[in-house]
Amino acid sequence: MADSSFDIVSKVERQEVDNALNQAAKEISQRYDFKGVGASISWSGDKILMEANSEDRVKAVLDVFQSKLIKRGISLKALDAGEPQLSGKEYKLFASIEEGISQENAKKVAKIIRDEGPKGVKAQVQGDELRVSSKSRDDLQTVIALLKGKDFDFALQFVNYR
């Protein structure tokens, strides 16, 4: 019998992020507390640019965007927001969406699987994802449960379960 396997990835659906951004922009344009403060949110290349006339307002824009991401099922661990910076009379805040598992994070996950997971489970780093394989599907389920119980500082999804 062939080995069963699944991949551990850290991907974000770009369309869902776009939808969350559009919803946040709409809410910001309609909310009373954002009237007259120059609050906006938009794409700036591959980063998200949030602007307002005060540091608190730009953080409030970020908060609105984060709530929209949560409603769309996107982990906030994938959002990497910087600090508000004064640019002229405006405060700007740049945020980016992190995708892929770095080599060091993949090694951490593989070590946890080796140390705490069932025997006979193999984890291999393949680019920006991790393939986990075993003869037993029950062992793979155990590994998924183990990793869901851990708190990583990056988002994980489990795909291609076969």
Side-chain angles (χ1 to χ4, degrees):
M1 187 177 108
D3 283 4
S4 299
S5 68
F6 68 90
D7 294 335
I8 302 172
V9 296
S10 182
K11 292 199 181 347
V12 176
E13 209 171 310
R14 175 83 173 191
Q15 185 62 49
E16 290 297 328
V17 175
D18 204 32
N19 290 344
L21 185 118
N22 291 335
Q23 287 177 340
K26 186 175 181 182
E27 181 173 322
I28 289 163
S29 70
Q30 292 175 346
R31 264 180 44 179
Y32 178 76
D33 57 335
F34 286 121
K35 294 280 187 228
V37 296
S40 68
I41 182 169
S42 62
W43 286 106
S44 174
D46 61 343
K47 291 189 181 284
I48 298 157
L49 170 65
M50 291 162 261
E51 296 177 300
N53 66 358
S54 75
E55 189 172 347
D56 292 338
R57 284 283 159 239
V58 81
K59 285 183 178 178
V61 171
L62 175 63
D63 191 48
V64 169
F65 181 55
Q66 287 175 334
S67 70
K68 298 302 178 192
L69 286 174
I70 291 169
K71 284 183 181 172
R72 292 231 156 246
I74 297 170
S75 173
L76 291 183
K77 292 177 182 176
L79 180 71
D80 181 26
E83 286 298 313
Q85 299 160 340
L86 184 61
S87 172
K89 292 183 178 179
E90 294 269 304
Y91 276 88
K92 294 183 177 186
L93 188 132
F94 286 96
S96 61
I97 303 295
E98 300 290 321
E99 288 195 292
I101 301 174
S102 68
Q103 288 291 325
E104 61 192 44
N105 287 337
K107 287 178 183 174
K108 282 183 200 171
V109 173
K111 183 169 176 18
I112 288 172
I113 292 170
R114 264 195 322 274
D115 294 347
E116 301 176 32
K119 299 289 177 237
V121 176
K122 297 185 283 298
Q124 305 144 314
V125 178
Q126 296 180 332
D128 61 351
E129 56 186 50
L130 195 69
R131 165 123 337 138
V132 180
S133 57
S134 172
K135 293 203 182 307
S136 164
R137 289 183 150 218
D138 291 340
D139 287 350
L140 294 180
Q141 293 286 351
T142 306
V143 169
I144 290 175
L146 169 75
L147 294 177
K148 282 185 177 178
K150 298 284 182 191
D151 186 32
F152 295 105
D153 56 350
F154 52 96
L156 289 180
Q157 292 89 31
F158 306 101
V159 297
N160 295 340
Y161 184 80
R162 342 187 155 92

